Amino acid sequence: MAKGVIICKRYARWEALAISRKTRKLEHIKYALELPDTDFPSGFGDIFLVHNALPELNRDGVDCSCFFMGKRLRAPLMINAITGGHTAVLEVNRGLAQAAARTGIAMAVGSQRAALDDPEVRHTFAVAREENPDGLLLANLSALCTLEEALEAIDMVAADGIQLYLNVNQELAMREGDTDFRGVLENIARLVQQLPVPVVVKEVGCGLSRETITALYRAGVRCVDIGGRGGTNFAAIENRRGGRGGAYLEQWGIPTAVGLLEALSTGLPLAVIASGGLRTPVDMTVAMAAGAALTAMAGPFLRVLQEKGPEGLVDYINGLIAGLQRVMMLTGAGNLAALARKPLVITGFTAEWLQRRGIDVDAYARR
């Protein structure tokens, strides 16, 4: 076969893949909004804060601000990766970025692969920085990306850091997904060493075990996003898209609270982001009391933005922050450092899992 024909066929395949990725963005949004909230609990319902009837605090003085990646946040909260890569979702990222700017929280854009394939959709990601010039913003690509791709993604949004995502279960469910994951850890180690911004390694719905986190730490990673079971179920989304089948794997994964506590049990100097099924200020407070550096949500923000618009999303985020302050006050914690010393009682499935993994759950109650 002539070289020119081979090149033309290869280009046609790349072009088809780019079109597929853009269409996939819309389908992910569609099914994320259509699917009911997951039936699989995140585990936070098994963890209880201890009420303090004598907090000796003024609610207005409760400080839930924090610093992350060198920037001050009004609260330890991030709008996690949602979308980008299709002109139809430009306004979604615009609304999310405006809300992040007005409420003083962090934001991560969705996977930027589509923009690397097609420069015409770069603006659907770049709008996040345009609308939030001074905020904390993370780029987002697969952990299999090249150094050059990661640098381009960072530059695209003037990112303060980059999420490298792990999504094996989703890829195996996706009809056009990858099936070869050899060399991922080595690639992560190379990117951590060579990129000019901090790297966050993030799961997208199946959680991170203590063994995985230890391996990532040895590779140089110093921040992980648990992305546990209990939030947006991408295996279910891919099955609705007509994936490879395997509905039985829609239940696969480590609940977020379990993954968070497994990560913290390593004792490693890591910043751990709790995401996957957090819904309320109580969930946020529990995660921060356990030792998380940040909490993150995606699905709830998308639903509110679609139903109530940017103003409604700002009100929703402000409500979460106010709720976090109220729950902190009910524990007697005037700031996040004090909150991390408050007792937690861990029960149910979460306690049993951790005990069987050799983790001392009672240590949290003895604080």
Side-chain angles (χ1 to χ4, degrees):
M1 185 179 294
K3 183 178 180 181
V5 174
I6 294 173
I7 292 173
C8 287
K9 285 190 173 183
R10 187 174 297 161
Y11 177 80
R13 179 175 178 273
W14 288 341
E15 187 175 42
L17 284 172
I19 293 169
S20 173
R21 285 193 181 99
K22 288 192 287 185
T23 302
R24 189 162 72 220
K25 297 296 181 183
L26 295 182
E27 291 176 339
H28 283 169
I29 292 287
K30 167 183 165 63
Y31 291 114
L33 291 170
E34 287 182 0
L35 282 169
D37 231 358
T38 180
D39 295 328
F40 312 117
S42 63
F44 285 103
D46 289 337
I47 308 177
F48 297 87
L49 293 154
V50 177
H51 174 58
N52 184 342
L54 292 168
E56 295 291 336
L57 293 169
N58 181 334
R59 191 184 72 174
D60 293 338
V62 175
D63 180 13
C64 65
S65 66
C66 68
F67 282 87
F68 195 77
M69 292 188 180
K71 290 191 174 179
R72 185 181 183 275
L73 302 176
R74 183 171 155 229
L77 180 61
M78 178 168 67
I79 299 173
N80 223 342
I82 294 178
T83 193
H86 194 291
T87 53
V89 298
L90 172 66
E91 294 307 313
V92 173
N93 269 348
R94 187 190 305 279
L96 295 171
Q98 289 174 345
R102 291 177 57 184
T103 58
I105 66 172
M107 177 180 170
V109 297
S111 173
Q112 293 166 265
R113 169 56 58 190
L116 298 183
D117 294 337
D118 181 3
E120 291 186 4
V121 297
R122 288 174 63 103
H123 66 294
T124 68
F125 297 98
V127 69
R129 180 54 83 193
E130 293 166 7
E131 297 292 342
N132 190 6
D134 301 316
L136 176 58
L137 185 62
L138 301 184
N140 181 291
L141 275 179
S142 164
L144 282 167
C145 70
T146 67
L147 174 63
E148 293 72 25
E149 290 168 341
L151 289 170
E152 186 176 349
I154 292 164
D155 181 66
M156 192 185 305
V157 296
D160 300 289
I162 185 169
Q163 288 181 335
L164 301 178
Y165 62 82
L166 306 172
N167 67 333
V168 177
N169 196 28
Q170 180 188 5
E171 293 287 346
L172 293 177
M174 193 187 306
R175 61 176 179 261
E176 65 272 63
D178 291 325
T179 58
D180 187 352
F181 303 96
R182 293 171 295 180
V184 176
L185 188 62
E186 182 181 353
N187 193 56
I188 290 171
R190 184 164 49 249
L191 292 171
V192 168
Q193 189 175 48
Q194 298 182 21
L195 287 173
V197 298
V199 169
V200 181
V201 175
K202 166 185 168 47
E203 237 289 350
V204 299
C206 291
L208 296 171
S209 69
R210 138 183 100 177
E211 292 84 358
T212 298
I213 288 165
T214 300
L216 289 169
Y217 180 81
R218 289 173 178 163
V221 175
R222 294 298 179 264
C223 183
V224 296
D225 184 335
I226 296 300
R229 195 186 76 178
T232 303
N233 190 326
F234 278 98
I237 288 173
E238 296 303 342
N239 284 332
R240 301 310 183 278
R241 291 184 60 238
R244 294 183 174 125
Y248 49 88
L249 290 179
E250 292 180 15
Q251 304 178 40
W252 183 263
I254 303 170
T256 301
V258 171
L260 172 63
L261 294 170
E262 284 217 3
L264 297 170
S265 77
T266 64
L268 297 171
L270 285 161
V272 183
I273 300 171
S275 73
L278 282 78
R279 294 290 181 266
T280 71
V282 174
D283 294 339
M284 294 167 58
T285 312
V286 165
M288 297 305 297
L294 208 66
T295 64
M297 305 181 194
F301 294 142
L302 177 61
R303 288 188 176 90
V304 172
L305 180 64
Q306 292 297 293
E307 293 170 5
K308 300 182 179 180
E311 287 297 327
L313 181 56
V314 169
D315 290 342
Y316 179 74
I317 294 171
N318 282 332
L320 288 174
I321 296 172
L324 172 62
Q325 291 172 309
R326 290 173 65 181
V327 181
M328 286 174 63
M329 186 167 182
L330 291 173
T331 71
N335 54 51
L336 294 176
L339 178 62
R341 297 190 294 269
K342 296 302 178 182
L344 289 170
V345 179
I346 305 171
T347 68
F349 173 84
T350 301
E352 182 177 354
W353 174 301
L354 296 170
Q355 287 166 345
R356 290 180 181 273
R357 295 274 282 163
I359 297 169
D360 183 5
V361 298
D362 294 331
Y364 286 93
R366 294 193 298 266
R367 286 173 169 177

